[in-house]
Amino acid sequence: MIHLPVIPAAKDRDFQLPENPPTEDYHEILDELERDGEIIVQRVPEPYIEVKTKFGRIKKIPVEKTWHHKSCGQCGHIPGYSTSIFWLNRQLGLDYMDPKDQTSCTAWNYYASATSNPEAQAAVAIRNFATAYETGYYPLIHCGTSFGHYKEVRQALIHYPELRDKVRKIMAKLGKKLVIPEEIVHYSEWVYAMRDRIKERQVVDMSQITATVHPACHYHKLIEEDAIYTPEIYGAQRTAIITGVLQELGINVADYSTWFDCCGFGFRHILVSRDFSRSFSVQRKIEVMMEEANPDITVTHDTGCVTTLDQSQFAAKAHGKKVGLPVLSDSQIAALAMGAHPYKVLQMHWHNTDNTRFLAKLGLDPDEKWREFEASVARLQDGSKQYLTWEDVE
Amino acid sequence: MGLDLSTRQYDKVPYEEKERLFEEVKADMRYQDHALYGCYECGICVAACPSARFYDFSPRVIAQAAAREDVDLMYILMNDSIWDCSQCFSCDRCPRHNSPGMLITIMREVAVRNGLGTAKEALEGYGRIIYKIMSTGTQVSPDMLQPNAFPDWGGHVHDIAENLDVWRRALPPETLHTTETGWEVSDKTIIELYLIWHMTGVMDMIEEIDEGLYDILVDVMEERLEEAGYDDVSF
Ligand code: SF4
Ligand code: SF4
């Protein structure tokens, strides 16, 4: 008789991050390339917070002196997303830069249309990195796709000397150096690393809230190496970002069976073939979340995910689908917990799915908050002010 | 309609032409190094793939066709399948360490570079997005939120379009007061971006796929580049 080992149930297993990571260490390769005079490595400025990534390596997350690499989808269509990231920095008294000499990573277009190539994509990335380096501020990437794509660019640059040569020549024409940051850092990693400081300043009780989490594919699947994992969250079997923040804020994070699935964004699909995006996001994500977890909110950390999960629900409602789940980013939830205004800072009126019940459950009066926002806007309309500033919302 | 994998539809295309395109895919530096190491036919990529749930689409078939060097099948897939991919890279969990998603990226680039008719069809209606990203440095802009462009997103798009200017001015970060770009991008930065498109052959790709768009982009870029003193940049 063969005795097979008895494997404990997943919930009882003590999963350890591997002592010997199965992949090469990009830090070592970057250091080597720098020693050889091939590249400049921009170091994470102090103070930084150390976290662990998928294969147990240490990643440094900068606390401040961050150069905010904005997201075109966030800034263009859900601007409370980026505004909340800046608001958190300001409230925590941290030094940051919101640059005008930044371009989009152009990866949304690349993944949608392929009307580009590795040289162009790497040059766009390095132009942004070199620009950040010149200021002394460290790139903090707002978009999950920019984050994923820049990891791809880093991988290509460290493996293909001919690509480095081409990009170096292009940068020389622009008067810039070939700079690669020591770590490619996504803003949600910064929110995760800062979660205890955010908790210290929490003024809105969130303990009655149940949330589901959707992690962005380009964060944890595309070059999985850099994503944050910890045994305390999902036993290090899934990435810890978003969930770690929500739990710190007292939110009940509920699980659902399609956690690993994509949101349905599809890059070209969301723009020119939206029947796919709508169907996938509603049938594989929103409906499953509602049926299995009945959450008050779903929280994600990327441009495309917020857009697809939120906007797709309108048409699905007409088809009698079980929808009506508000969608916010972790930066918006963190800001809300610290007392940010739902319309002046979170800009929730740019979101589609009704979120007034969620606000009411937090003890916030959505009508009153909207009146406050409209009063501010009236000052812009009557010409007494041209813009609202941070002083108007802090 | 299902995906027709018989060679009938493309039997007029010379085998040599199909082979040339496959060779171009294989010549990409990412092909052997990261995209394809062979295939177990395990289907794990299909199980994780969102597009496989809604289309007659399979990353396994694409990985298999490439691994077996099936020139005819690769040609069919390059025409009739790759544009269904969502580029989510869920398939990167492949136990063989393949990246079917990256293989598809390479195939798409080859399809665009060679101006395949099916690539032109797949990108129909997409030109305005290419124009936006290449000419402004940000891909989506607030003024794209128009009810006729997003009828399935409901009345809230109408509200945004109606209040666009004042709602943008109500944003506290000063870089976000724009309506035609996601944020304010400096002139110098735009010029640098144009130079990158020019130096990396992206303009040639655009010319191959959409001549009208190419002409418009050249017009816009040449003027700005000339103003900035780059007279010798010829497209
Ligand atoms: S997961 Fe990898 S090995 Fe398995 S079928 Fe897909 S490409 Fe082949
Ligand atoms: S990248 Fe494409 S092939 Fe791979 S899982 Fe996503 S949709 Fe499927």
Side-chain angles (χ1 to χ4, degrees):
Chain A
M1 193 174 145
I2 301 169
H3 291 281
L4 295 171
V6 178
I7 299 172
K11 66 177 173 45
D12 300 324
R13 267 181 244 157
D14 181 18
F15 184 78
Q16 299 292 335
L17 292 168
E19 269 175 33
N20 298 310
T23 53
E24 65 189 13
D25 189 346
Y26 59 82
H27 303 100
E28 286 171 9
I29 306 175
L30 290 176
D31 288 349
E32 207 177 301
L33 289 171
E34 188 175 45
R35 272 196 304 275
D36 294 346
E38 286 235 28
I39 61 170
I40 292 172
V41 178
Q42 184 176 11
R43 303 288 160 183
V44 176
E46 294 192 24
Y48 52 76
I49 295 169
E50 290 189 340
V51 293
K52 278 198 173 171
T53 52
K54 178 151 192 171
F55 300 125
R57 292 198 178 99
I58 299 287
K59 180 171 188 176
K60 298 173 191 166
I61 308 295
V63 170
E64 60 179 331
K65 290 220 73 145
T66 43
W67 190 88
H68 286 250
H69 182 292
K70 297 175 288 298
S71 149
C72 46
Q74 286 168 24
C75 293
H77 293 180
I78 29 177
Y81 195 140
S82 345
T83 303
S84 295
I85 300 173
F86 292 130
W87 188 87
L88 287 170
N89 274 272
R90 300 179 75 86
Q91 291 297 306
L92 296 170
L94 302 172
D95 183 15
Y96 71 90
M97 184 176 283
D98 173 7
K100 293 179 183 170
D101 46 10
Q102 178 223 327
T103 69
S104 148
C105 64
T106 74
W108 183 348
N109 177 57
Y110 183 51
Y111 293 126
S113 74
T115 50
S116 186
N117 56 47
E119 294 84 43
Q121 292 306 111
V124 168
I126 301 303
R127 198 212 64 82
N128 277 328
F129 288 152
T131 306
Y133 175 75
E134 287 158 11
T135 66
Y137 284 72
Y138 195 86
L140 187 72
I141 316 293
H142 284 197
C143 179
T145 279
S146 306
F147 174 78
H149 186 56
Y150 286 169
K151 288 184 289 178
E152 270 193 318
V153 166
R154 180 191 66 204
Q155 189 184 42
L157 283 167
I158 63 182
H159 282 108
Y160 309 126
E162 66 274 25
L163 182 63
R164 286 199 296 278
D165 286 346
K166 279 185 191 157
V167 173
R168 204 178 294 108
K169 277 186 198 136
I170 295 168
M171 287 307 121
K173 286 237 166 84
L174 305 182
K176 293 189 181 295
K177 301 266 190 273
L178 204 175
V179 181
I180 304 180
E182 179 183 5
E183 303 285 4
I184 294 175
V185 185
H186 188 236
Y187 88 85
S188 69
E189 301 182 314
W190 176 84
V191 177
Y192 173 83
M194 300 297 287
R195 66 196 184 285
D196 51 345
R197 299 193 201 184
I198 293 168
K199 167 82 179 171
E200 275 169 22
R201 290 163 178 80
Q202 183 170 7
V203 293
V204 176
D205 175 26
M206 296 191 156
S207 58
Q208 69 282 31
I209 297 297
T210 294
T212 43
V213 163
H214 168 71
C217 296
H218 287 192
Y219 176 73
H220 71 127
K221 298 175 187 169
L222 176 55
I223 319 276
E224 57 191 347
E225 179 78 37
D226 303 55
I228 298 177
Y229 287 69
T230 174
E232 288 85 55
I233 313 264
Y234 302 122
Q237 302 277 11
R238 304 183 195 171
T239 180
I241 41 74
I242 319 177
T243 304
V245 175
L246 301 188
Q247 288 181 348
E248 189 80 26
L249 296 175
I251 292 172
N252 167 40
V253 179
D255 205 1
Y256 63 103
S257 55
T258 54
W259 186 94
F260 192 85
D261 270 8
C262 163
C263 67
F265 183 66
F267 298 90
R268 64 180 283 278
H269 299 80
I270 191 74
L271 292 163
V272 293
S273 211
R274 262 199 311 286
D275 47 347
F276 163 77
S277 300
R278 281 196 306 271
S279 305
F280 195 88
S281 63
V282 169
Q283 291 174 32
R284 288 291 293 185
K285 298 299 287 196
I286 299 294
E287 280 195 316
V288 181
M289 291 175 188
M290 303 234 355
E291 271 161 26
E292 296 180 8
N294 193 27
D296 302 295
I297 185 113
T298 192
V299 186
T300 181
H301 65 147
D302 182 34
T303 318
C305 312
V306 172
T307 304
T308 314
L309 295 171
D310 182 25
Q311 305 286 9
S312 299
Q313 295 184 51
F314 177 83
K317 196 174 169 191
H319 288 282
K321 296 280 178 192
K322 192 168 182 179
V323 291
L325 181 59
V327 186
L328 288 178
S329 71
D330 50 356
S331 63
Q332 289 170 303
I333 289 284
L336 194 61
M338 279 173 53
H341 196 285
Y343 301 109
K344 293 184 195 176
V345 177
L346 272 71
Q347 302 280 324
M348 285 167 80
H349 46 293
W350 293 75
H351 295 239
N352 197 343
T353 312
D354 177 38
N355 42 46
T356 52
R357 262 180 302 139
F358 167 68
L359 289 176
K361 197 165 177 182
L362 289 171
L364 303 168
D365 180 345
D367 295 332
E368 187 192 328
K369 295 290 176 190
W370 182 248
R371 279 194 297 276
E372 288 167 4
F373 174 72
E374 288 206 306
S376 303
V377 167
R379 292 165 66 207
L380 303 178
Q381 280 162 326
D382 69 17
S384 53
K385 257 184 111 67
Q386 199 185 356
Y387 302 110
L388 293 188
T389 63
W390 287 113
E391 286 66 45
D392 295 305
V393 304
E394 281 171 351
Chain B
M1 206 179 73
L3 176 63
D4 180 2
L5 292 181
S6 67
T7 49
R8 279 192 315 276
Q9 49 187 330
Y10 296 116
D11 57 7
K12 291 212 171 60
V13 180
Y15 185 82
E16 292 69 33
E17 173 62 3
K18 296 175 184 174
E19 201 170 31
R20 185 185 68 77
L21 293 174
F22 187 28
E23 288 303 320
E24 209 172 307
V25 171
K26 288 199 288 181
D28 190 291
M29 60 190 173
R30 298 162 291 178
Y31 182 81
Q32 293 293 348
D33 200 14
H34 283 295
L36 189 75
Y37 298 95
C39 175
Y40 298 140
E41 280 210 70
C42 63
I44 287 174
C45 54
V46 185
C49 174
S51 293
R53 281 185 187 275
F54 280 86
Y55 299 110
D56 190 354
F57 172 81
S58 165
R60 182 189 61 79
V61 168
I62 296 171
Q64 272 287 305
R68 285 197 209 128
E69 310 229 334
D70 187 331
V71 171
D72 284 316
L73 187 52
M74 281 296 278
Y75 188 79
I76 296 170
L77 297 167
M78 197 187 282
N79 279 283
D80 298 337
S81 194
I82 53 172
W83 296 100
D84 286 341
C85 168
S86 304
Q87 291 282 280
C88 65
F89 297 91
S90 299
C91 50
D92 275 7
R93 51 163 46 185
C94 164
R96 197 76 179 80
H97 300 296
N98 296 333
S99 177
M102 185 188 276
L103 173 59
I104 291 165
T105 312
I106 298 170
M107 290 167 74
R108 284 181 174 187
E109 273 176 51
V110 172
V112 167
R113 241 189 342 259
N114 286 277
L116 295 194
T118 46
K120 288 180 184 168
E121 260 170 49
L123 296 178
E124 242 170 50
Y126 189 81
R128 67 191 180 105
I129 312 288
I130 299 176
Y131 174 78
K132 191 63 126 180
I133 188 73
M134 290 188 66
S135 68
T136 71
T138 73
Q139 166 144 358
V140 295
S141 55
D143 64 0
M144 278 182 180
L145 283 172
Q146 296 299 330
N148 58 356
F150 297 94
D152 53 326
W153 288 2
H156 105 117
V157 177
H158 179 261
D159 295 344
I160 291 173
E162 212 172 63
N163 293 292
L164 193 65
D165 172 62
V166 71
W167 282 5
R168 292 301 288 185
R169 286 193 288 124
L171 293 168
E174 62 162 40
T175 51
L176 301 189
H177 297 146
T178 50
T179 54
E180 292 176 7
T181 53
W183 60 85
E184 194 180 334
V185 184
S186 75
D187 285 347
K188 181 171 176 284
T189 300
I190 289 292
I191 297 297
E192 289 171 353
L193 188 68
Y194 290 177
L195 291 172
I196 289 175
W197 299 144
H198 173 63
M199 288 187 273
T200 53
V202 172
M203 293 306 291
D204 301 335
M205 293 178 87
I206 301 296
E207 190 175 18
E208 204 53 67
I209 208 80
D210 188 338
E211 266 185 60
L213 174 63
Y214 172 81
D215 290 342
I216 297 169
L217 276 170
V218 167
D219 266 1
V220 172
M221 290 183 182
E222 266 184 350
E223 204 182 312
R224 299 281 298 268
L225 285 166
E226 267 171 33
E227 279 167 19
Y230 289 96
D231 298 334
D232 57 341
V233 176
S234 53
F235 287 94

